[in-house]
Amino acid sequence: MGLSQGVTGLLCKLLLWSQPRRLISFRKVQSVPGNRPFLACFTYTTDRQSNKENRRTVEKLCQFSVDISKIRRVKEWVLLEDKTYVEEIASILQKLGASDTVIASILERCPEAIICSPPAVDTQRKLWQLVCKNEEELIKLIERFPESFFTVKDQELQKFNVEFFQELGLKNVVISRFLTTASPIFHNPVGKNKQMIQILQESYLNLGGSKANMNVWLLKLLSQNPFILLNSPTAVKETLEFLQQLGFTNSEILQLLSKLKGLLFQLCPESIQDSISFSKNTFKCTDDDLRQLVLKCPALLYYSVSVLEERIQGLLTEGISLAQIRETPMVLELTPQIVQYRMRKLNTLGYRMENGHLANLKGTKQEFESNFGKIQAKKTRPLFNPVAPLKVEE
């Protein structure tokens, strides 16, 4: 303890000497819970800050080894609040099994937690426990997504939506993911969410989907893109009608919906029209050819004209022709930086993209690395197997 505190103390002095013309005060906490950095036990204030900050709040946070400087940098306004609940919020987290280190981390990253009323936080705890297996899983979620947990509003509405999603057949693990990464859908009126679900079901059936597979399709779509529920029924209908006007068959539209994970409904017909018009003019293709391009690379529907221009130009700069891009349009899903990196790697093996097919360039990072490994293995493979028996005619 003596050595680490001595080093930390020296660092503190250096920090203070570099701040002239400021009134500086230190306050040491009696006990340091957990293994938090020693520096976190001190507060650094200026005369301006000390006159505004809630001194009691700062002291209570220091008792839990919260690094006050982190809060001051990002959400200093929390320290100016008259009414805070540091001890009460920490107590709720402790009862869930959070260690002192975890509590400090949560309060540093989401300091607004201390202005939430304890009853509201306790209600939120009960709500999240509806989809968590145990308290250990719950505290891990809170630690990873504190801001989502401490958004304590529309709690009754959130509960109704949780129950609705459970009745719909979504697994609790999926609903918990929605709570942490797609929280806006829980602030939607339940009636609106139900209406959107009904529109999606009707659209699936109208496009030729089978009733037996409808629920599986719907749940998969929601799990991939829950934000689809934030769209309006009118927007969904307009997008489907627009795609039909472009000549896409019902089965092709279903295919696009699955590939784009519902992102299609978040696009407006005007932006789609701009993108496909640009693609048609660039590749000089017929309407039928254009539809085949889009089915191969649905990204052509949602990339803006500026993005498409940048990516096509990047490929042309690397010596790739428009004919090659048209044959393998999926390469347009790659940024120019990724294209350059992959081409350099392939060039080290003597693979010249301008003379061949672009299949080895496209795909996810994992797919590319797998293909690269196969090409590399072929290049280094001996022309013959020295240990294989030679065929000799008798």
Side-chain angles (χ1 to χ4, degrees):
M1 172 177 164
L3 180 59
S4 63
Q5 290 184 0
V7 173
T8 305
L10 179 59
L11 291 173
C12 283
K13 290 178 181 178
L14 291 173
L15 173 65
L16 298 178
W17 291 336
S18 66
Q19 303 289 337
R21 299 194 188 120
R22 287 187 176 181
L23 174 63
I24 301 161
S25 64
F26 286 98
R27 184 184 304 108
K28 184 175 180 181
V29 181
Q30 295 300 319
S31 60
V32 185
N35 297 315
R36 298 288 296 162
F38 185 70
L39 187 61
C41 301
F42 291 97
T43 63
Y44 168 74
T45 63
T46 65
D47 51 350
R48 177 181 60 82
Q49 289 172 324
S50 60
N51 288 334
K52 291 183 178 181
E53 289 179 356
N54 185 326
R55 183 174 179 179
R56 178 182 174 277
T57 298
V58 174
E59 289 175 348
K60 293 297 182 184
L61 288 170
C62 282
Q63 287 178 6
F64 289 99
S65 293
V66 174
D67 189 340
I68 304 298
S69 64
K70 290 184 178 180
I71 299 178
R72 287 197 180 111
R73 281 198 300 269
V74 292
K75 293 178 181 177
E76 184 183 15
W77 60 270
V78 173
L79 301 176
L80 311 181
E81 294 291 319
D82 293 330
K83 186 68 174 176
T84 57
Y85 306 93
V86 179
E87 291 177 311
E88 294 87 345
I89 300 304
S91 176
I92 292 174
L93 296 174
Q94 284 173 334
K95 289 177 182 177
L96 290 173
S99 65
D100 293 337
T101 303
V102 169
I103 292 173
S105 173
I106 290 172
L107 297 183
E108 285 171 1
R109 290 182 295 122
C110 183
E112 57 267 40
I114 65 175
I115 62 174
C116 298
S117 72
V121 174
D122 197 52
T123 300
Q124 193 80 336
R125 172 190 63 79
K126 294 175 182 176
L127 172 66
W128 281 41
Q129 280 184 323
L130 292 175
V131 294
C132 290
K133 290 184 294 186
N134 48 48
E135 291 182 346
E136 182 182 358
E137 182 181 297
L138 175 57
I139 197 62
K140 285 181 179 178
L141 278 179
I142 298 174
E143 185 181 3
R144 288 181 61 197
F145 306 98
E147 291 188 353
S148 296
F149 178 77
F150 287 105
T151 304
V152 289
K153 63 177 183 179
D154 303 328
Q155 290 179 307
E156 188 175 12
L157 190 56
Q158 288 188 61
K159 183 182 178 183
F160 289 152
N161 275 310
V162 167
E163 292 171 346
F164 168 62
F165 292 139
Q166 287 175 329
E167 292 170 2
L168 198 60
L170 285 168
K171 294 181 179 179
N172 283 339
V173 66
V174 176
I175 300 174
S176 66
R177 178 160 55 83
F178 289 176
L179 281 169
T180 55
T181 60
S183 57
I185 67 173
F186 291 91
H187 302 288
N188 256 355
V190 180
K192 183 179 183 303
N193 282 339
K194 286 184 177 180
Q195 185 184 24
M196 274 303 303
I197 293 295
Q198 186 177 355
I199 289 294
L200 292 172
Q201 290 172 331
E202 290 175 357
S203 300
Y204 176 77
L205 294 175
N206 291 338
L207 290 171
S210 68
K211 198 167 185 178
N213 294 330
M214 181 181 67
N215 203 46
V216 174
W217 175 84
L218 177 66
L219 296 182
K220 183 178 180 181
L221 187 67
L222 286 176
S223 64
Q224 291 174 332
N225 182 13
F227 293 102
I228 197 172
L229 294 175
L230 299 180
N231 298 327
S232 70
T234 303
V236 171
K237 291 179 180 179
E238 287 179 351
T239 301
L240 292 178
E241 289 173 358
F242 179 70
L243 291 174
Q244 288 170 334
Q245 290 170 7
L246 290 175
F248 287 100
T249 65
N250 288 343
S251 61
E252 287 173 342
I253 295 175
L254 271 182
Q255 184 181 334
L256 289 173
L257 279 176
S258 298
K259 285 186 176 181
L260 292 175
K261 302 176 182 178
L263 181 63
L264 199 57
F265 291 141
Q266 294 171 240
L267 304 173
C268 64
E270 291 78 11
S271 66
I272 296 176
Q273 181 64 64
D274 290 343
S275 297
I276 61 174
S277 294
F278 171 79
S279 297
K280 183 178 180 180
N281 293 331
T282 300
F283 295 111
K284 306 212 174 347
C285 53
T286 64
D287 290 341
D288 288 338
D289 292 336
L290 179 63
R291 284 193 293 273
Q292 293 308 310
L293 275 178
V294 170
L295 291 172
K296 284 184 181 179
C297 180
L300 290 172
L301 291 177
Y302 65 81
Y303 282 150
S304 65
V305 171
S306 59
V307 170
L308 289 172
E309 280 182 324
E310 179 191 28
R311 297 193 176 184
I312 291 174
Q313 187 57 50
L315 289 165
L316 295 176
T317 302
E318 295 295 329
I320 295 172
S321 67
L322 280 175
Q324 287 175 296
I325 301 173
R326 180 171 168 174
E327 185 182 359
T328 313
M330 295 79 77
V331 293
L332 292 172
E333 296 175 352
L334 309 174
T335 65
Q337 293 77 18
I338 293 176
V339 169
Q340 291 173 4
Y341 167 77
R342 293 185 179 185
M343 288 194 68
R344 288 196 195 99
K345 286 199 72 171
L346 290 167
N347 286 341
T348 61
L349 301 178
Y351 193 95
R352 292 293 177 262
M353 201 63 62
E354 58 270 21
N355 300 325
H357 199 272
L358 303 185
N360 292 316
L361 191 64
K362 67 182 180 67
T364 63
K365 180 180 179 181
Q366 185 177 2
E367 290 168 343
F368 170 76
E369 295 298 341
S370 175
N371 288 333
F372 179 79
K374 291 176 183 177
I375 297 173
Q376 191 174 37
K378 287 181 181 179
K379 290 287 183 181
T380 56
R381 185 181 300 163
L383 294 176
F384 68 95
N385 187 345
V387 298
L390 294 174
K391 291 184 178 181
V392 181
E393 294 184 5
E394 296 181 357

